[in-house]
Amino acid sequence: MNEYITIKENRDFTRIYKRGKSYVSPTLVTYIMKNRSNNLRYGITTGKKIGNAVKRTRARRVIRASYYQLFSEIKPGYDIIFVARGKTPFVKSQVVYAAMKKHMKSAGILTEKQDEL
């Protein structure tokens, strides 16, 4: 399972916003919901409040980079939506990565991987 599946349908986003559990930090909001398949799907939302197109694109890029870094540690079978916040375009990806990892740990969807040398 090394494939990144994105959520594209508006109805999927709406369903996850309504029924999913949310985790909030200053740089990121994460919605997590169990899905019926064994796939791990993700979506990214950046609203107009974030700033102009350049800032929104940067926010998406930073979130995507953090997700790819964390991907192998996340259990399959979940839909995850990341919502950028006002600070997101201005921080380094490691800050977003730390927030994302904390949200995943709170949700209990990280696998217990041993540190490999």
Side-chain angles (χ1 to χ4, degrees), residues 95-109:
V95 175
V96 175
Y97 174 79
M100 195 178 284
K101 190 163 187 164
K102 187 176 171 213
H103 293 174
M104 302 294 175
K105 203 169 272 187
S106 298
I109 64 168

Side-chain angles (χ1 to χ4, degrees), residues 17-56:
Y17 287 143
K18 285 181 182 166
R19 299 202 190 123
K21 180 104 177 68
S22 64
Y23 302 89
V24 182
S25 70
T27 53
L28 188 70
V29 179
T30 308
Y31 290 88
I32 300 174
M33 187 176 144
K34 191 124 180 74
N35 63 26
R36 292 181 181 177
S37 68
N38 202 23
N39 294 329
L40 185 58
R41 302 189 315 160
Y42 80 102
I44 298 174
T45 307
T46 49
K48 291 270 180 115
K49 285 182 182 177
I50 305 303
N52 62 15
V54 175
K55 288 189 180 111
R56 291 195 304 269

